[in-house]
Amino acid sequence: MQPHVANIFIDIIPDMCFVVSGERTVLSYNRRAREVLGLPEVPDREIFFYDLLTDDSPRPLLPVLRTMEGAPEAEVRFRAPGGGVVDALLFIRKIRGPEKEFLYVIARDVSEEKKKELDLLRFSNVVHYTVNPIQITDARGRMIYVNPAFEKATGYPKEELI
């Protein structure tokens, strides 16, 4: 028996995709969700969507179910195999079936972006709070940033230097 065309289509989407019932039970998910979250090929038990999330993660599905319009996005944290965490941005859409309502949830993994943001914040704090004077210039040699140590060393406030 050949796989259904809809299943093939959902499996080629690079983000995690879920079809969730009004009771917030996961009815279907794609290959990416299986790979990232370690889910079985076919659900072998009832999976409650919120059980896939960490305890400290927001629970964004209920507000979408209660209203006609869905929240376009929400940020959550999925439990990953081995105790890891996957930060994800959810795009949630309500779908009305003939008898029931469903949610189509696309989860974009933003873990790498979060890591880069944290690294950039750390670097920024190191530059700003170091005791060494630091100035950053643009390609034309104009100062675009000076840290407090540079202001102290030169005796000029950053507003005059930049």
Side-chain angles (χ1 to χ4, degrees), residues 64-99:
V64 177
L65 283 166
R66 289 184 178 159
T67 62
M68 292 299 288
E69 298 174 14
E73 26 183 90
E75 208 168 300
V76 297
R77 302 183 81 205
F78 283 97
R79 298 174 197 270
V85 172
V86 176
D87 291 300
L89 187 60
L90 297 188
F91 301 90
I92 308 165
R93 292 289 175 256
K94 187 188 298 190
I95 302 169
R96 290 186 184 273
E99 298 175 19

Side-chain angles (χ1 to χ4, degrees), residues 20-88:
V20 181
S21 73
E23 294 76 34
R24 294 173 297 293
T25 301
V26 177
L27 303 173
S28 180
Y29 43 81
N30 69 347
R31 179 183 339 198
R32 185 70 180 151
R34 290 191 300 271
E35 293 169 357
V36 173
L37 303 179
L39 297 170
E41 186 76 25
V42 177
D44 53 358
R45 60 178 171 77
E46 185 174 83
I47 301 171
F48 191 59
F49 186 81
Y50 291 154
D51 288 344
L52 299 174
L53 305 179
T54 62
D55 294 336
D56 63 341
S57 180
R59 307 291 198 252
L61 301 185
L62 194 56
V64 177
L65 283 166
R66 289 184 178 159
T67 62
M68 292 299 288
E69 298 174 14
E73 26 183 90
E75 208 168 300
V76 297
R77 302 183 81 205
F78 283 97
R79 298 174 197 270
V85 172
V86 176
D87 291 300

Side-chain angles (χ1 to χ4, degrees), residues 128-142:
H128 189 75
Y129 293 106
T130 185
V131 295
N132 299 317
I134 295 177
Q135 73 166 341
I136 300 173
T137 60
D138 65 13
R140 291 184 270 197
R142 292 182 299 187

